[in-house]
Amino acid sequence: MFKQNGKNYFHLDDTEIYYRNLESVYNYLESEYDINYMNFAYVTLCSSTLEASLNYIIFHYYINEFGPVDYKNFADSLINISFKNKLHSTPNIVTKSKYYFNSDCFTIKTLEKLISLRNKILHKKPLLQTTELDLHKDLELGKEIELKNNNHIELITKNDCQNFHKAIMNFRNEFMNPFLENELLITELIKEK
């Protein structure tokens, strides 16, 4: 609840819905069934959960700094930067340069991999590949030609999802929740400037 300039405002934090759904999909992935197609769903939900979390942290910081009338001018500029830059900038900005993420730790390296994979699968661009084969000639001669498709969706493994899950839960437990509760501590993820 916020009050500014005689108006009342409220915000309902819905990031918990993302984490609850993420846990459900993850538990399904961990089941005994071979459901590789769910890896894509997990990666997209995991990256959405991370971005929603970062956006909420930014929102939380700026609304408490500037109130419900002026926060948007500041929050939007950070919310709208690239995903990877947002990941790295957020702790520095919201802690007034006191803390930053350790770029060499498992959590950040894995979240960077998640962001990169998310960009490759959600913003797919056509790719022209070179080959030593003369496709027209080889086809005329009746040669069997096998072309390799490096579709990133098909390359996602259960192990990737397990690592992404561990990393996002580390992010949540070591940064997001402690930040929101004003209890940030130095950890493998969080470094003090």
Side-chain angles (χ1 to χ4, degrees):
M1 299 287 301
F2 301 94
K3 186 172 187 132
Q4 190 175 14
N5 298 345
K7 290 185 180 177
N8 296 315
Y9 302 86
F10 71 93
H11 171 73
L12 297 174
D13 175 14
D14 62 353
T15 54
E16 190 57 36
I17 294 170
Y18 280 87
Y19 284 98
R20 197 169 49 243
N21 281 284
L22 192 66
E23 284 292 333
S24 294
V25 173
Y26 184 73
N27 289 336
Y28 195 66
L29 282 173
E30 288 289 290
S31 71
E32 66 214 48
Y33 304 107
D34 186 20
I35 46 176
N36 288 337
Y37 66 89
M38 288 297 293
N39 295 344
F40 169 77
Y42 184 80
V43 166
T44 57
L45 182 55
C46 191
S47 61
S48 296
T49 301
L50 177 60
E51 190 156 27
S53 299
L54 289 166
N55 289 345
Y56 180 69
I57 291 164
I58 293 163
F59 167 84
H60 176 84
Y61 172 75
Y62 281 112
I63 200 151
N64 285 307
E65 285 289 310
F66 297 102
V69 174
D70 296 320
Y71 84 94
K72 195 166 178 45
N73 295 330
F74 304 98
D76 281 357
S77 62
L78 186 54
I79 285 173
N80 290 320
I81 66 173
S82 75
F83 197 172
K84 184 177 175 185
N85 288 339
K86 186 187 311 185
L87 174 66
H88 287 283
S89 299
T90 297
N92 187 38
I93 291 170
V94 302
T95 67
K96 299 178 181 173
S97 297
K98 185 174 180 181
Y99 298 105
Y100 64 96
F101 285 144
N102 175 5
S103 296
D104 295 324
C105 74
F106 166 84
T107 298
I108 293 302
K109 286 183 179 215
T110 304
L111 293 178
E112 286 175 344
K113 182 179 176 185
L114 171 67
I115 291 168
S116 176
L117 179 58
R118 171 245 190 215
N119 290 341
K120 288 174 184 170
I121 60 178
L122 294 182
H123 302 292
K124 175 108 173 75
K125 295 175 180 74
L127 175 65
L128 190 60
Q129 300 178 44
T130 60
T131 180
E132 298 298 318
L133 300 172
D134 181 342
L135 297 176
H136 294 293
K137 182 179 176 182
D138 290 344
L139 285 172
E140 285 177 7
L141 295 173
K143 288 186 179 178
E144 190 173 312
I145 298 173
E146 186 176 322
L147 301 174
K148 186 176 179 185
N149 181 3
N150 291 323
N151 185 296
H152 295 284
I153 292 173
E154 293 177 342
L155 299 176
I156 304 169
T157 67
K158 185 174 184 174
N159 187 59
D160 291 329
C161 293
Q162 290 167 330
N163 286 332
F164 295 147
H165 190 77
K166 181 178 178 185
I168 196 164
M169 291 305 151
N170 288 348
F171 166 85
R172 181 184 190 198
N173 295 329
E174 293 183 25
F175 178 69
M176 182 177 172
N177 289 345
F179 171 77
L180 295 173
E181 296 166 6
N182 292 317
E183 297 176 356
L184 265 181
L185 301 172
I186 297 172
T187 64
E188 179 66 22
L189 172 62
I190 307 293
K191 297 295 177 191
E192 191 168 18
K193 189 171 176 185

